[in-house]
Amino acid sequence: MTTIGFVRHGVTAWNKEGRAQGNTDVPLDEEGIQMAEQAAERIQFEEWDVIYTSPLIRAKKTAEIIAKKLPGIDFIQDKRLGEIGGGIIEGTTEAERIAKWGLDWRNQDIGFEPEDVIISRGMSFIEEIKQNYPGKRVLVVSHGGFISRLLYALVPDGEFSRDIGNTSVTIVELGNHENVCHLFNCMKHLEVKEVQ
């Protein structure tokens, strides 16, 4: 069975401001880099065979920081792992969206990437991984919106929050008939260790 470990990128200034990022290439801020380093410290003690990343800079930088702790494994960018396209709302906050398009802005034609397209690119990636890495452990650094939608497609009966935390780790075992989520949205690496 192939195992996939999903890691969301570290935090960005836009995350903190509540701005929709989508395909806009927003870099990690200082805290985001530190979070990625904490995730890397955790992941270095785990067995992974390959790292895949979204090419967007916030995910790619997170993946690069993790990869430094896992020397010798392949590092591959795949545009199918990019965040959901947010259309004309990218760069805006909820308050700005309401001011511009009203409370029902989600129901308007604002150029969101269609749900079926998101799932299609996600599942095409998963099928390729199952074929190319049978029995292997594949680390995937991507984005909150994309990971949450793909997770529901992989484990339809799972009860997951839509909120995927920055640098959280989610582990899914891909079976022939059923996929199992063994860990969801785990951020234990961010917990401050108390000094004794």
Side-chain angles (χ1 to χ4, degrees):
M1 288 212 218
T2 303
T3 300
I4 301 230
F6 291 105
V7 179
R8 184 183 175 200
H9 62 78
V11 79
T12 69
W14 277 23
N15 283 143
K16 292 175 179 172
E17 293 164 14
R19 294 189 184 282
Q21 294 184 120
N23 289 316
T24 305
D25 222 357
V26 184
L28 298 178
D29 66 9
E30 281 304 312
E31 186 185 356
I33 290 169
Q34 187 180 359
M35 290 168 82
E37 285 167 354
Q38 287 170 282
E41 291 288 329
R42 167 192 181 159
I43 291 167
Q44 72 178 326
F45 300 112
E46 300 172 3
E47 291 285 322
W48 295 100
D49 297 296
V50 61
I51 297 178
Y52 274 82
T53 182
S54 153
L56 291 171
I57 191 69
R58 57 193 184 272
K60 187 174 162 221
K61 180 70 174 173
T62 302
E64 286 168 351
I65 290 168
I66 292 169
K68 279 185 193 158
K69 297 283 188 181
L70 298 169
I73 73 171
D74 287 340
F75 182 91
I76 303 163
Q77 293 183 62
D78 192 313
K79 64 180 192 306
R80 291 174 294 183
L81 300 174
E83 182 57 297
I84 295 163
I88 58 176
I89 72 156
E90 290 188 12
T92 65
T93 63
E94 178 77 8
E96 289 167 349
R97 293 190 281 277
I98 291 168
K100 193 163 188 173
W101 298 291
L103 284 170
D104 73 335
W105 62 267
R106 279 185 181 84
N107 301 320
Q108 298 180 35
D109 181 13
I110 47 184
F112 273 141
E113 182 177 0
E115 199 77 14
D116 60 329
V117 173
I118 299 161
I119 299 305
S120 171
R121 68 179 163 96
M123 292 310 280
S124 104
F125 171 79
I126 294 293
E127 287 310 312
E128 195 175 295
I129 290 300
K130 281 170 78 170
Q131 243 179 357
N132 294 346
Y133 300 96
K136 301 289 190 187
R137 291 172 55 84
V138 178
L139 200 61
V140 172
V141 182
S142 187
H143 307 267
F146 177 75
I147 293 170
S148 74
R149 281 168 180 80
L150 188 53
L151 200 51
Y152 274 104
L154 290 170
V155 189
D157 300 333
E159 296 194 6
F160 309 112
S161 149
R162 279 272 192 200
D163 293 327
I164 306 283
N166 289 101
T167 71
S168 68
V169 178
T170 297
I171 296 181
V172 177
E173 198 173 84
L174 304 174
N176 291 327
H177 307 292
E178 186 182 39
N179 305 313
V180 179
C181 182
H182 290 293
L183 184 70
F184 173 68
N185 204 27
C186 179
M187 294 180 283
K188 68 180 184 188
H189 52 277
L190 300 180
E191 292 167 9
V192 178
K193 292 180 177 61
E194 300 212 6
V195 180
Q196 296 295 327

